[in-house]
Amino acid sequence: MKLSHFQFDLPKELLAEYPAENRDEARLMVIDRKKQTIEHKMFKDVIDYFDEGDVLILNNTKVFPARLYGNKEKTGARIEVFLLRELNSEQRLWDVLVDPARKIRIGNKLYFGDDDSLVAEVIDNTTSRGRTLRFLYDGSYEEFRNKLTELGETPIPKYISRDVTPEDAERYQTIYAKEEGSVAAPTAGLHFSKHLLKKLEIKGINFAEVTLHVGLGTFNPVEVEDLSKHKMDSEELKITQGACDIVNAAKAKRKRICCVGTTSMRAVESSVSSQNTLNPFDGWTNKFVFPPHDFAIPTCMITNFHTPKSTLLMMISAFCGHDLMKRAYAEAIEEKYKFYSYGDAMLIL
């Protein structure tokens, strides 16, 4: 498979600017790989496809308010700082992106908040846009983290041209988010409401939680025609023994195992035993799933509609089958499904 196989024309108006009014009332396209059929449903109908003993694998990562706006010393220029990951909690070192990058050099100081209560110094240039910042703050670590939360805003994707609203802080977060550490939401999970999760639980469906902290690498464009040459950024992953037990028990009974989102899929496919069961994991993964790929864990998946040439689309192609995926996407565009983070959903059986 080549990069050019994943190009298609996506009308700009199909990029979702706002979430559906109710989480579980987005549209749902259901694709059956065996029957090669495509159906159109509402997301809450997803319950009809699962039975007692089936498992949903959820990514319980929590998005933190990663986007800050500061002012450069002397010039006062407004600089956007996007927190990527904490490098050292004691020294308050962070790996960040800055915009506009050309204005920021080693030694520059940035001031945040109306009262300049938080200051950062640029101590390293790692890439053309990336920097390492050392935050200078007198309080305890807990107070420092609270300050970041207070000054930061929800990092909704850049393609959304409107301002961030208070609603985004809640809606750009799954209702089962627990472990803080992502700079982007695992968006397939945004469609689950408390009511729908409860109904699934009553029906006897089990939930296995994994934690994959989503970085911006997920959205980095692929710039090589030969997909095997593309390198994914590493993301922090944790899979507990308890989650493995739930998944492996269902696998032994030939139950349906559904990954909710590409992040859950990447998580479980990063930690497969030689017997094709799920192993515990605590570390970093740079797993890139693209065709052809033999999936060891999931029998189905829930995902959103992805943009052309994205690594996420490549994973869907590997799972769905390339021709069926292309047919589904053509139909999604014709039927005006909404794409990307706040968009509609797809269930691939």
Side-chain angles (χ1 to χ4, degrees):
M1 300 297 284
K2 300 267 188 277
L3 178 62
S4 47
H5 292 142
F6 297 92
Q7 173 56 19
F8 64 92
D9 291 327
L10 177 59
K12 201 166 185 295
E13 66 270 16
L14 296 186
L15 289 171
E17 288 266 328
Y18 291 91
E21 197 172 332
N22 296 310
R23 284 181 186 267
D24 57 14
E25 287 179 356
R27 294 164 76 190
L28 177 71
M29 178 185 278
V30 182
I31 299 173
D32 190 312
R33 292 176 294 172
K34 273 205 187 84
K35 296 180 190 161
Q36 296 279 298
T37 55
I38 297 171
E39 291 181 287
H40 305 287
K41 302 279 186 177
M42 295 283 278
F43 191 80
K44 55 188 173 190
D45 299 329
V46 82
I47 192 165
D48 299 336
Y49 296 90
F50 295 96
D51 293 312
E52 190 176 348
D54 290 344
V55 172
L56 292 180
I57 300 173
L58 309 174
N59 181 7
N60 66 11
T61 187
K62 190 173 187 180
V63 179
F64 67 94
R67 192 173 273 135
L68 301 171
Y69 292 96
N71 298 100
K72 191 178 165 189
E73 63 177 334
K74 295 179 186 158
T75 67
R78 182 173 148 99
I79 305 293
E80 179 188 309
V81 172
F82 196 101
L83 303 173
L84 291 177
R85 65 176 67 127
E86 187 173 47
L87 300 173
N88 184 312
S89 57
E90 278 177 36
Q91 295 182 33
R92 295 179 190 171
L93 293 184
W94 281 76
D95 189 8
V96 304
L97 292 179
V98 291
D99 189 23
R102 67 183 188 285
K103 293 187 174 177
I104 302 301
R105 295 188 171 80
I106 292 174
N108 287 160
K109 282 199 171 70
L110 301 173
Y111 293 86
F112 302 91
D114 295 337
D115 54 355
D116 295 342
S117 54
L118 184 63
V119 183
E121 185 178 11
V122 182
I123 62 166
D124 188 22
N125 279 1
T126 42
T127 66
S128 60
R129 291 178 63 210
R131 303 287 187 272
T132 302
L133 291 189
R134 176 185 285 121
F135 283 98
L136 311 170
Y137 187 75
D138 288 340
S140 67
Y141 178 71
E142 192 181 344
E143 288 167 332
F144 164 65
R145 287 305 297 248
N146 288 342
K147 195 66 171 170
L148 288 184
T149 301
E150 177 198 321
L151 295 173
E153 72 176 34
T154 302
I156 62 171
K158 279 281 195 188
Y159 81 86
I160 295 176
S161 51
R162 62 178 174 79
D163 289 339
V164 178
T165 66
E167 185 198 27
D168 288 311
E170 184 217 340
R171 288 304 300 271
Y172 196 62
Q173 197 82 269
T174 64
I175 58 162
Y176 47 78
K178 290 191 187 90
E179 306 292 334
E180 194 170 81
S182 277
V183 300
T187 53
L190 298 180
H191 300 295
F192 286 91
S193 62
K194 285 196 171 100
H195 182 64
L196 179 57
L197 277 184
K198 195 72 196 163
K199 281 173 73 176
L200 286 160
E201 195 183 315
I202 290 165
K203 197 173 177 182
I205 285 95
N206 295 317
F207 304 103
E209 293 189 8
V210 298
T211 307
L212 180 79
H213 291 318
V214 188
L216 285 183
T218 297
F219 309 102
N220 278 353
V222 180
E223 290 169 341
V224 286
E225 183 64 7
D226 178 353
L227 300 186
S228 64
K229 302 272 193 303
H230 178 68
K231 295 279 183 288
M232 289 288 281
D233 282 2
S234 291
E235 294 175 325
E236 200 173 352
L237 170 62
K238 186 162 192 166
I239 303 174
T240 64
Q241 184 63 56
C244 295
D245 293 344
I246 293 167
V247 169
N248 293 336
K251 198 169 160 59
K253 292 177 186 155
R254 297 188 177 280
K255 294 289 184 186
R256 200 162 251 181
I257 298 169
C258 182
C259 281
V260 175
T262 55
T263 59
S264 299
M265 179 75 89
R266 191 156 72 256
V268 297
E269 289 296 302
S270 294
S271 191
V272 178
S273 75
S274 53
Q275 283 84 41
N276 272 355
T277 55
L278 186 60
N279 271 347
F281 191 98
D282 191 353
W284 295 77
T285 177
N286 63 352
K287 183 82 174 171
F288 176 28
V289 179
F290 63 98
H293 180 83
D294 252 348
F295 290 86
I297 305 298
T299 62
C300 59
M301 79 177 293
I302 293 167
T303 185
N304 279 21
F305 289 89
H306 306 293
T307 47
K309 294 186 173 178
S310 60
T311 58
L312 310 175
L313 186 64
M314 291 159 192
M315 181 189 289
I316 303 313
S317 165
F319 191 73
C320 185
H322 194 69
D323 292 341
L324 183 55
M325 180 208 78
K326 281 180 74 173
R327 212 178 97 210
Y329 267 63
E331 195 159 322
I333 290 168
E334 197 180 314
E335 296 288 334
K336 298 201 168 6
Y337 273 75
K338 289 291 191 183
F339 278 65
Y340 219 40
S341 302
Y342 274 151
D344 293 314
M346 175 189 274
L347 169 64
I348 307 171
L349 298 170

